[in-house]
């Protein structure tokens, strides 16, 4: 689900996403992230799932093409029913095939960061805290040429927000003018 959601967001908001997906069942192989195999303790699911046409036709075109480009990767055994769209029948497809194709697509997206390990809340909070750039505007004034996305002035980043006790501290990452909860 994480990969499908990440790819859908990337499709809906092109150029405006920065998505990170974690999975402990992955490993690195060169520049790509791949599924671990049995020797690495990952026994891939071979079950088949039935996907109604209402669901698969709602997928982004790129995902739809990746999942169903090979006619041998799925079957259409079920009759058309009330959930069928445009007379298209449900499709049976292996879960492992879905996972493989979605991971392959996500590997090609610069806006999707794949992390081959389990998500660790404390570690992620530390990473986000280090990435947020705390800025200080001494006396509420901003540096020349420094702007926010709305065009208003943005303070110049400093290494520590404690340099001016009367300064307004804001977080560049979340644009909060109050104390950022990641501090």
């Amino acid at each position: 689900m994480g990969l499908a959601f990440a790819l859908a967001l990337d499709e809906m908001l092109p150029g405006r996403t920065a998505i990170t997906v974690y999975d402990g069942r992955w490993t690195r192989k060169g520049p790509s992230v791949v599924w671990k195999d049995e020797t690495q303790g990952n026994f891939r699911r071979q079950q088949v799932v039935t996907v109604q046409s209402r669901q698969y036709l709602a997928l982004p075109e790129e995902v739809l093409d990746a999942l169903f480009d090979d006619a041998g990767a799925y079957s259409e055994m079920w009759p058309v029913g009330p959930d069928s769209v445009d007379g298209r029948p449900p499709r049976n497809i292996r879960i492992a095939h879905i996972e493989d194709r979605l991971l392959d697509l996500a590997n090609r997206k610069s806006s999707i960061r794949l992390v081959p390990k389990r998500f660790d809340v404390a570690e992620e909070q530390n990473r986000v805290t280090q990435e947020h750039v705390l800025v200080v505007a001494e006396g509420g004034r901003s540096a020349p040429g420094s702007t926010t996305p709305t065009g208003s002035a943005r303070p110049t980043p400093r290494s520590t927000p404690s340099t001016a006790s009367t300064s307004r501290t804001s977080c560049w990452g979340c644009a909060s003018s109050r104390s950022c909860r990641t501090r």
Side-chain angles (χ1 to χ4, degrees), residues 57-94:
L57 291 173
L59 293 170
E61 193 68 32
E62 183 178 39
V63 172
L64 193 60
D65 289 344
L67 293 179
F68 301 113
D69 68 343
D70 178 11
Y74 67 94
S75 64
E76 296 177 340
M77 301 174 47
W78 299 99
V80 174
D83 283 333
S84 297
V85 174
D86 295 332
R88 299 226 182 149
R91 291 181 173 175
N92 295 326
I93 188 167
R94 286 192 183 274

